[in-house]
């Protein structure tokens, strides 16, 4: 990933991907910056705390909402003096289940997967296992796979033994992720580091910081939802 794609769309700082605290918008989503005069396409990473604080969070959320809860929206744009029309691939969370003051919850109608979309912008995707964790009164855990990312600068030999807080402090992300230590119950593991290219391999599993009202709704919902019957699709 280029430096631009690993920088936060809002604050410009490096984004270490942390499930529930960060995300990315890949170019194939064809998301547009409706809050900018040129409506350019948005591509890159973001800290959720920066999105929550941003003046354009509602416009950002509105664009993301259209993509997440739809599929195949046609968008037109101008490039080199010509008008083009493209079909925007949506995430297909089409069935609305809950609207609250902090978030909305949607369900995919083709897989057992749910979207929790905060009113302030950030979002969380849940699978059936995570739904079960919530139903049993446990936090929904996410991540745990090995990730590879190019760090913005070489942290030196201490990296191998650094804790997650030390890593975040070193990357100057401790303020951006304030509260993560208390809420995330993070399990961070250092795997490898390739100094010439500053490639860090790590795994990180966290508890998703879901809004309280989402947890309450999903706890009850778990007992009445019907899994997707693939034979009937
Ligand atoms: Zn940021």
């Amino acid at each position: 990933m280029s430096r631009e794609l690993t920088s936060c769309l809002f604050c410009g700082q490096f984004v270490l991907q942390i499930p529930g605290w960060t995300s990315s918008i890949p170019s194939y989503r064809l998301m547009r910056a409706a809050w900018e005069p040129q409506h350019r396409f948005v591509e890159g990473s973001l800290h959720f705390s920066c999105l929550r604080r941003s003046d354009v969070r509602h416009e950002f959320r509105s664009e993301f909402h259209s993509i997440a809860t739809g599929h195949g929206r046609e968008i037109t744009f101008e490039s080199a003096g010509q008008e083009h029309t493209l079909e925007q691939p949506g995430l297909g969370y089409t069935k609305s289940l809950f609207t609250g003051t902090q978030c909305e919850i949607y369900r995919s109608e083709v897989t057992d997967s749910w979207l929790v979309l905060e009113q302030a912008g950030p979002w969380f995707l849940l699978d059936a296992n995570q739904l079960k964790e919530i139903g049993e009164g446990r936090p929904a855990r996410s991540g745990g796979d090995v990730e590879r990312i190019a760090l913005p600068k070489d942290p030196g030999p201490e990296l191998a033994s650094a804790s997650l807080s030390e890593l975040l402090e070193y990357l100057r992300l401790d303020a951006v992720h304030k509260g993560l230590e208390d809420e995330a119950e993070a399990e961070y593991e250092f795997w490898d580091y390739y100094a010439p290219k500053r490639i860090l391999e790590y795994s990180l599993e966290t508890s998703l910081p879901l809004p309280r009202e989402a947890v309450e709704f999903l706890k009850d919902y778990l007992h009445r939802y019907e899994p997707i019957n693939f034979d009937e699709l």
Side-chain angles (χ1 to χ4, degrees), residues 7-25:
S7 300
C8 177
L9 290 166
F10 298 97
C11 73
Q13 274 188 277
F14 178 71
V15 177
L16 182 78
Q17 288 297 340
I18 303 176
W21 269 263
T22 63
S23 194
S24 60
I25 304 285

Side-chain angles (χ1 to χ4, degrees), residues 154-166:
D154 187 354
E158 296 83 27
L159 182 63
S161 57
S163 65
L164 178 61
S165 355
E166 285 164 344

Side-chain angles (χ1 to χ4, degrees), residues 60-127:
F60 183 100
R61 182 193 188 279
S62 170
E63 276 299 299
F64 183 78
H65 178 272
S66 299
I67 294 171
T69 62
H71 35 192
R73 180 173 69 149
E74 276 196 352
I75 51 169
T76 50
F77 63 99
E78 213 180 275
S79 171
Q82 288 210 320
E83 202 165 85
H84 302 268
T85 301
L86 283 177
E87 202 172 276
Q88 188 177 47
L91 293 173
Y93 290 92
T94 48
K95 192 172 187 328
S96 170
L97 298 177
F98 172 82
T99 302
T101 54
Q102 297 168 300
C103 68
E104 292 177 358
I105 302 177
Y106 294 86
R107 176 179 184 169
S108 163
E109 294 192 65
V110 292
T111 64
D112 282 325
S113 177
W114 293 265
L115 163 75
V116 177
L117 178 58
E118 278 187 29
Q119 303 292 11
W123 62 93
F124 311 94
L125 302 182
L126 302 171
D127 60 22

Side-chain angles (χ1 to χ4, degrees), residues 7-15 22 45-51 53 173 176-177:
S7 300
C8 177
L9 290 166
F10 298 97
C11 73
Q13 274 188 277
F14 178 71
V15 177
T22 63
S45 301
L46 65 151
H47 304 118
F48 279 163
S49 61
C50 293
L51 172 57
R53 277 199 307 268
L173 292 173
V176 165
H177 293 306

